[in-house]
Amino acid sequence: MSISCSELSKVYEGGKAGWPALLGVSFEIKPGEFTAVTGPSGCGKSTLLNILGLLDEPTGGRYLLNGRDILEMSDGERSDFRRDQIGFIFQSFNLLNRLPALGNVCLPMMYAGIQNAEMQHRAHALLAKVGLKGKEKKTPLELSGGERQRVAIARALANSPKIILADEPTGNLDSASSREIMDMLLQLNAEGITVIMVTHDKELAARARRNLRMKDGRLEA
């Protein structure tokens, strides 16, 4: 899944001139790359990730996703593309505490209309893949932070995405759990999934194949 961004800008309304979050950001990411996006807080990292994940639209510029201009897609097309092609991993896990691990992993497949038998089989396999075999019935409140993020990774893989977008995926974890999650992301990348990770952790960023460093809404390096 290729990504091409040309002069992307994003201005949020407010005040006389608004607040510019992105200012002329241009780059390309080839299929199968592992890219870390780094920079200080407020530099536009998460805004960029939201645009790449079709959760937000740029104010200006062009974003081609596998050769398609996202601004030319209908709302329904963007929603379907996001559901089927992109997996999200968040710092705060974003799991439903009332559901067990298995139920959380099943959710994206329910929205995609996967039959129950296939959904259950796939969810069990994904939890085993991330090292949580035997914990399918545990709720997030019964799991450690590292285990919750593993559930989130399994959920992100539910619909076999081509791209994983991870926003500070180790931000709430201890050092040992952070390394385990990073190892897992590197393994997924080795299997052919494009991974784009926002992080403040220089050690983790150094393990990515490529770094995009941002500052004040611009791509610095």
Side-chain angles (χ1 to χ4, degrees):
M1 186 71 64
S2 63
I3 289 173
S4 177
C5 296
S6 178
E7 295 296 319
L8 280 187
S9 64
K10 180 65 179 181
V11 178
Y12 291 103
E13 295 182 3
K16 293 183 178 180
W19 174 61
L22 293 180
L23 296 166
V25 174
S26 300
F27 62 90
E28 293 187 0
I29 295 177
K30 296 178 181 178
E33 283 193 325
F34 192 128
T35 302
V37 182
T38 63
S41 296
C43 70
K45 302 186 303 295
S46 292
T47 297
L48 176 61
L49 208 68
N50 286 339
I51 290 174
L52 295 180
L54 308 183
L55 296 172
D56 202 354
E57 293 184 6
T59 306
R62 199 176 189 203
Y63 171 25
L64 300 181
L65 187 52
N66 223 31
R68 292 195 62 186
D69 190 329
I70 63 109
L71 293 179
E72 294 179 358
M73 294 182 184
S74 67
D75 289 342
E77 286 178 316
R78 280 196 292 269
S79 178
D80 290 347
F81 204 102
R82 184 170 59 242
R83 180 195 66 205
D84 299 334
Q85 304 292 339
I86 303 173
F88 296 89
I89 303 171
F90 303 96
Q91 177 178 351
S92 56
F93 316 129
N94 286 14
L95 301 174
L96 295 182
N97 290 331
R98 62 183 174 81
L99 292 179
L102 191 71
N104 272 283
V105 177
C106 283
L107 274 178
M109 292 182 276
M110 290 176 61
Y111 296 136
I114 304 298
Q115 294 296 315
N116 186 62
E118 171 62 20
M119 181 171 61
Q120 294 287 327
H121 173 75
R122 194 184 298 180
H124 277 281
L126 285 170
L127 286 170
K129 179 182 179 72
V130 298
L132 292 178
K133 184 177 177 61
K135 297 193 176 184
E136 296 87 352
K137 295 182 180 180
K138 298 285 187 181
T139 67
L141 296 178
E142 298 174 294
L143 299 172
S144 69
E147 289 171 333
R148 292 182 198 182
Q149 197 60 292
R150 287 170 181 259
V151 175
I153 291 174
R155 181 187 58 189
L157 296 172
N159 290 330
S160 303
K162 300 294 189 301
I163 299 173
I164 290 288
L165 300 180
D167 194 356
E168 297 284 1
T170 65
N172 287 331
L173 305 179
D174 58 39
S175 297
S177 296
S178 294
R179 287 191 293 270
E180 290 175 358
I181 295 302
M182 186 63 182
D183 288 343
M184 201 168 295
L185 292 175
L186 287 166
Q187 178 57 42
L188 293 174
N189 178 244
E191 294 171 8
I193 297 177
T194 301
V195 179
I196 304 172
M197 176 183 69
V198 163
T199 184
H200 281 101
D201 192 317
K202 294 181 179 179
E203 181 181 339
L204 295 182
R207 298 181 66 189
R209 297 182 181 178
R210 181 183 180 197
N211 274 251
L212 299 177
R213 189 168 68 249
M214 297 188 67
K215 184 178 181 180
D216 299 329
R218 301 182 187 277
L219 192 61
E220 187 179 45

